[in-house]
Amino acid sequence: MMSMPNGAARTSRPVRLTQALVVACATALAGCSLFGKADKNPPAQLQPVTQTLTVKEAWRASVGKSGPYSLQPVAVGDKVYVSSHGGDVMALDATSGRTLWKVDTDVDLTTGPGSDGNVTAVAGEKGVVFAFDASGKQLWKKQINGEILSSPLVGHDLVVVRTTDTRVLGLDAQTGERRWIYQRAQTPLNLRAAMGMVFAGDGIVMGFPGGKLGVLAPSNGVLRWESTVSYPKGVSEIERLNDVTGLPMINGRQVCATTFQGRIACLELSNGQPQWGKDFSSPVGPAQDDVSLFAANENSVVYAFDRQNGNERWRNEQLRNRPLGMPLALGRSVVFGDFEGYLHFLSREDGKFVARVRAGSSPITAAPVVAGQTLVVQTRGGDVYGYIPE
């Protein structure tokens, strides 16, 4: 089992050890089993794929290993921003893979970058946050008292960061000065995995431990609404783990999300009113298009659900027990990386394989991103690939 990042919740020793398993399974996705059944559930053997989608490698670069974290790249226009656990932050041209700028923070980083193209922010161990301008020049450095695992959210003249002790802070994008803070009660145990945030109009949508989804006002951090995606079940703290995973998906007036050991559900964006929900458990979160919501469950079975009513459109069990990373809906396919560095392209219409490529041999846990016309993938081993799907 891999070493865990510092800052684990202070719990009794039995819970802390089990929590380490939870974090390793949810963020490292290295093929472990939460309840010790890995040997009984070997990963599915990959079968040959009839390539009906051409995926060409355009370039590759290296940023450095992710260590015990899942460092999510971010795309803005035709640029992509990446980071490494060793402290490097890079801006790449997505067409050529050329390095536009690179900085060494001299701090072990714990998040991928957030960027709006003008300001790029990243967080490191012991809660230090850095911000850089469009040329890579450091704008500011801010010490936050807490561990940060989620990529900063940059926009509305803000850098929004969240700590694992459930605080959310809005920092001035140009100075780093704190504009507001939102604090909520801690849960007994959580995944300590990255929990995404996204702007939706004049609101910040984010998931919380305990199966909650909510919206904060960017101007002052006030909670506009909070709704329950799923409720904890079971007796033990481990059984009751029930955190929103991945990134909330926004489409028009609808927001959808998944939870670990809980549900997949869609709600009304304006007020959090539930539209539909189904029992489901995902450690990595969903992807979407205008018709479907795509997600892999904790056994790496991939599903497509109708966005309007939650009906199952299809499922694919051929990747069972091959721990899958965060997905991306791209063109006529949905893309998943796995623990051996493969990228699997499934048809959005019926779930059948349309292509497969291998981006090295390191796990792919972060979601692929699209920058311009290029699909960009970062592996945990530190390689960054640019692909052109045709």
Side-chain angles (χ1 to χ4, degrees), residues 209-224:
K212 304 291 186 180
L213 194 71
V215 173
L216 301 184
S219 59
N220 55 18
V222 169
L223 182 67
R224 288 180 174 164

Side-chain angles (χ1 to χ4, degrees), residues 32-46:
C32 63
S33 170
L34 184 59
F35 303 108
K37 298 180 181 178
D39 292 340
K40 296 181 181 180
N41 298 289
Q45 296 297 310
L46 296 180

Side-chain angles (χ1 to χ4, degrees), residues 54-69:
T54 301
V55 182
K56 296 181 178 179
E57 181 181 321
W59 52 263
R60 69 176 67 179
S62 180
V63 63
K65 295 182 179 180
S66 297
Y69 303 96

Side-chain angles (χ1 to χ4, degrees), residues 23-194:
V23 178
C25 291
T27 63
L29 297 172
C32 63
S33 170
L34 184 59
F35 303 108
K37 298 180 181 178
D39 292 340
K40 296 181 181 180
N41 298 289
Q45 296 297 310
L46 296 180
Q47 302 303 313
V49 170
T50 300
Q51 303 269 147
T52 59
L53 173 69
T54 301
V55 182
K56 296 181 178 179
E57 181 181 321
W59 52 263
R60 69 176 67 179
S62 180
V63 63
K65 295 182 179 180
S66 297
Y69 303 96
S70 184
L71 303 185
Q72 175 66 48
V74 62
V76 183
D78 59 357
K79 299 180 179 64
V80 62
Y81 302 85
V82 294
S83 64
S84 72
H85 178 49
D88 287 334
V89 184
M90 297 171 60
L92 303 173
D93 179 278
T95 302
S96 64
R98 179 172 59 93
T99 299
L100 302 174
W101 55 260
K102 178 179 180 179
V103 295
D104 184 356
T105 62
D106 201 31
V107 170
D108 288 340
L109 298 179
T110 57
T111 77
S115 183
D116 64 357
N118 296 312
V119 175
T120 299
V122 70
E125 291 188 344
K126 299 183 180 179
V128 62
V129 182
F130 298 87
F132 307 94
D133 68 12
S135 66
K137 180 182 178 181
Q138 183 174 308
L139 290 171
W140 49 265
K141 176 182 177 182
K142 180 81 171 182
Q143 186 71 49
I144 304 297
N145 182 25
E147 182 185 42
I148 303 172
L149 297 180
S150 302
S151 298
L153 180 64
V154 181
H156 292 260
D157 296 320
L158 291 173
V159 172
V160 183
V161 296
R162 61 187 304 175
T163 63
T164 55
D165 62 1
T166 68
R167 287 176 297 137
V168 183
L169 296 91
L171 309 177
D172 186 280
Q174 295 299 319
T175 67
E177 293 301 311
R178 193 180 83 187
R179 290 191 185 176
W180 51 259
I181 182 171
Y182 170 72
Q183 172 84 60
R184 59 189 293 120
Q186 295 189 49
T187 55
L189 191 64
N190 59 44
L191 289 176
R192 285 188 59 247

Side-chain angles (χ1 to χ4, degrees), residues 228-273:
T228 301
V229 177
S230 61
Y231 292 93
K233 300 177 182 178
V235 177
S236 71
E237 291 185 8
I238 296 298
E239 291 173 331
R240 294 177 63 80
L241 272 170
N242 181 42
D243 295 356
V244 173
T245 53
L247 193 68
M249 294 286 110
I250 310 297
N251 189 306
R253 298 177 58 184
Q254 187 183 60
V255 55
C256 302
T258 58
T259 63
F260 180 69
Q261 298 187 146
R263 305 179 89 202
I264 184 168
C266 289
L267 304 87
E268 169 64 42
L269 179 59
S270 63
N271 56 20
Q273 182 68 29

